[in-house]
Amino acid sequence: MATDDKGKAQFLRFVLNGCFSAAVHYTIYFLCQLFIEVNISYAIGYVLSFLVNYYTTCRFTFRQQPTWKHFIGFSGSHAVNFCLHVSLFWLCMQIGIHRLIAPAIVMCMAMMVQFSILRFVFKKKDAGHSE
């Protein structure tokens, strides 16, 4: 597979994985909130979906084994992503973009940055490996 095609396939898997991880978060939140306080339920859902997202990002999106190095890079990319979301949303509000449109703009921009960071984190050292 050509490098460009490999990147497109990884990006598609990245988007699918993001949708799956969001569904995991919501499902866990929904089930937990039936029994415990909603903020705690949301946090539990976030943490568990983060771990699922890490594992599926390794295995499904980038076709690699989970490692501590990848976990640290993945965690760092999420910290950057959070800061980017907050900053871009604030900027959108400052320049007058409607509050219902701004999240879509922010998510699209942040998703591209997140994917670029994760491609760097999961870059294989041995260029001879195929996907």
Side-chain angles (χ1 to χ4, degrees):
M1 183 180 273
T3 304
D4 190 37
D5 289 342
K6 181 180 178 183
K8 288 177 185 176
Q10 282 179 340
F11 185 73
L12 177 60
R13 291 192 305 266
F14 172 78
V15 170
L16 292 172
N17 185 48
C19 293
F20 173 72
S21 296
V24 168
H25 183 184
Y26 186 81
T27 300
I28 292 169
Y29 161 74
F30 179 80
L31 294 173
C32 287
Q33 62 85 37
L34 296 172
F35 306 102
I36 57 179
E37 200 269 331
V38 293
N39 290 304
I40 295 170
S41 299
Y42 193 83
I44 291 169
Y46 180 85
V47 169
L48 293 177
S49 72
F50 179 85
L51 295 172
V52 167
N53 190 358
Y54 166 67
Y55 182 78
T56 55
T57 294
C58 290
R59 302 296 293 165
F60 175 69
T61 303
F62 294 103
R63 314 251 192 224
Q64 295 187 31
Q65 294 292 326
T67 66
W68 282 109
K69 180 181 173 187
H70 288 154
F71 184 77
I72 291 167
F74 181 83
S75 299
S77 77
H78 275 267
V80 168
N81 195 35
F82 176 77
C83 293
L84 188 60
H85 269 264
V86 171
S87 300
L88 288 174
F89 186 79
W90 177 85
L91 180 62
C92 285
M93 294 298 95
Q94 296 305 304
I95 62 175
I97 296 175
H98 193 276
R99 69 177 185 268
L100 297 179
I101 304 288
I105 294 169
V106 170
M107 287 176 196
C108 288
M109 293 175 72
M111 178 177 56
M112 301 306 281
V113 172
Q114 177 81 350
F115 180 68
S116 298
I117 293 170
L118 288 174
R119 278 197 85 189
F120 177 77
V121 168
F122 287 94
K123 184 176 183 176
K124 291 184 180 181
K125 293 194 185 279
D126 181 6
H129 277 68
S130 64
E131 187 179 337

